Amino acid sequence: MKDQIKLSRKRCVSFCTAFSYDLTALANAIKRKDYEIKLSRDVLHVKHLKKFYNIFFFQQGCFVCWGLSRRQEQKWVKYVIMFSRDPIPIIESDFFSFQYDNETSIYTHERFKLDIITLESDHSQCKLAISYGLAKSIKLESFEDAIQETVKTNNTLPIEIARFGTISLSKKAIFKRIGEIFLARSSITLNSEILDTPEFFWRNPNLEPFYIMTNKFLDIPIRVTALNQKLDVLQELLDILNSQLQHRHSTFLEIIIIILILVEILISLLLHI
């Protein structure tokens, strides 16, 4: 069956478009007769009753589409902006093709270079379990890109200190860099719960193997470790910039003290003339 894959299989695409979504407002906005809506604490399931596609919106600013056309996907990308908190400038996406087979699995088709999801049934709970993994992966990708850009912008600072013993940036520029690094780091810290196993699987342990399978295929454990290492790099950059500011401040105080001593000596000399 796997060797007979056709390129016309249905699409499964994950998107990361924002820091988070207002799922309640989104659910209220799309309540129509053609949709079946199911809202839980961290996910909104939208099922079209006539076109038979599924979308899972996750609170952390991601959603996963099953069975939509490329045009339909882009309509939802634009529509969800109204319910987004802090939309990201570059939208992340990941494409899969899915079909139905005798067992649920994920593999890469060597001939077509496609990531294929096979499902043993059309049960929405199975799709949701896999979607949790897909959403985590695309959110991680957003984090990875943000951290990489921050590290790239600041990677010359340690070299500059090693060569010249100081940073050429102004005090204002250093404060700005500190703010940028802090925001990049805190955005991940505030979303750290997405790196844990969702509560959904505490209530549905029979579906957790699908989630684990997805995480393994997408190398999520390895990527989380790498992400934590990059966070450590950002913390080191913060420490470097803070120490540079403290050094400048102490140097400034020393100069002030020297000037005051010189003024005191000068006044003392003038009084004795």
Side-chain angles (χ1 to χ4, degrees), residues 40-193:
S40 62
R41 190 183 73 85
D42 63 345
V43 63
L44 169 65
H45 178 200
V46 177
K47 182 177 182 180
H48 199 289
L49 298 177
K50 293 182 178 179
K51 298 180 180 178
F52 304 107
Y53 63 67
N54 292 270
I55 310 175
F56 299 96
F57 293 94
F58 294 88
Q59 193 171 34
Q60 67 265 25
C62 307
F63 67 96
V64 182
C65 302
W66 294 80
L68 281 72
S69 67
R70 185 179 286 104
R71 185 177 179 181
Q72 290 170 330
E73 291 162 1
Q74 291 306 311
K75 285 184 177 180
W76 281 105
V77 167
K78 294 177 181 178
Y79 184 74
V80 80
I81 291 175
M82 295 184 292
F83 310 94
S84 301
R85 176 189 171 197
D86 298 332
I88 60 177
I90 299 177
I91 294 173
E92 304 283 356
S93 63
D94 198 8
F95 171 78
F96 291 80
S97 181
F98 79 95
Q99 63 176 10
Y100 297 99
D101 204 344
N102 296 326
E103 63 177 0
T104 299
S105 65
I106 306 178
Y107 67 97
T108 300
H109 193 278
E110 295 181 1
R111 180 181 175 186
F112 298 122
K113 304 301 179 183
L114 283 176
D115 292 331
I116 310 292
I117 300 173
T118 62
L119 302 171
E120 57 192 79
S121 73
D122 191 34
H123 201 284
S124 60
Q125 292 291 83
C126 179
K127 290 180 180 177
L128 174 56
I130 294 174
S131 294
Y132 268 107
L134 298 180
K136 176 183 284 191
S137 176
I138 201 65
K139 192 67 176 183
L140 269 176
E141 190 169 330
S142 176
F143 288 159
E144 290 162 351
D145 289 348
I147 289 182
Q148 187 62 35
E149 185 62 30
T150 304
V151 171
K152 183 179 177 181
T153 303
N154 296 280
N155 63 1
T156 59
L157 299 181
I159 298 174
E160 196 171 341
I161 290 178
R163 287 182 179 179
F164 308 109
T166 186
I167 296 174
S168 59
L169 296 174
S170 66
K171 184 177 180 180
K172 181 178 180 180
I174 291 177
F175 272 120
K176 187 177 179 180
R177 292 288 181 93
I178 289 174
E180 291 171 354
I181 295 172
F182 179 79
L183 287 174
R185 199 173 189 282
S186 63
S187 66
I188 297 173
T189 303
L190 291 172
N191 275 278
S192 60
E193 70 276 3

Side-chain angles (χ1 to χ4, degrees), residues 5-23:
I5 296 295
K6 297 181 181 179
L7 291 173
S8 60
R9 294 301 185 220
K10 294 182 179 180
R11 295 168 57 86
C12 174
V13 186
S14 57
F15 295 92
C16 180
T17 67
F19 179 81
S20 64
Y21 295 144
D22 184 343
L23 296 183

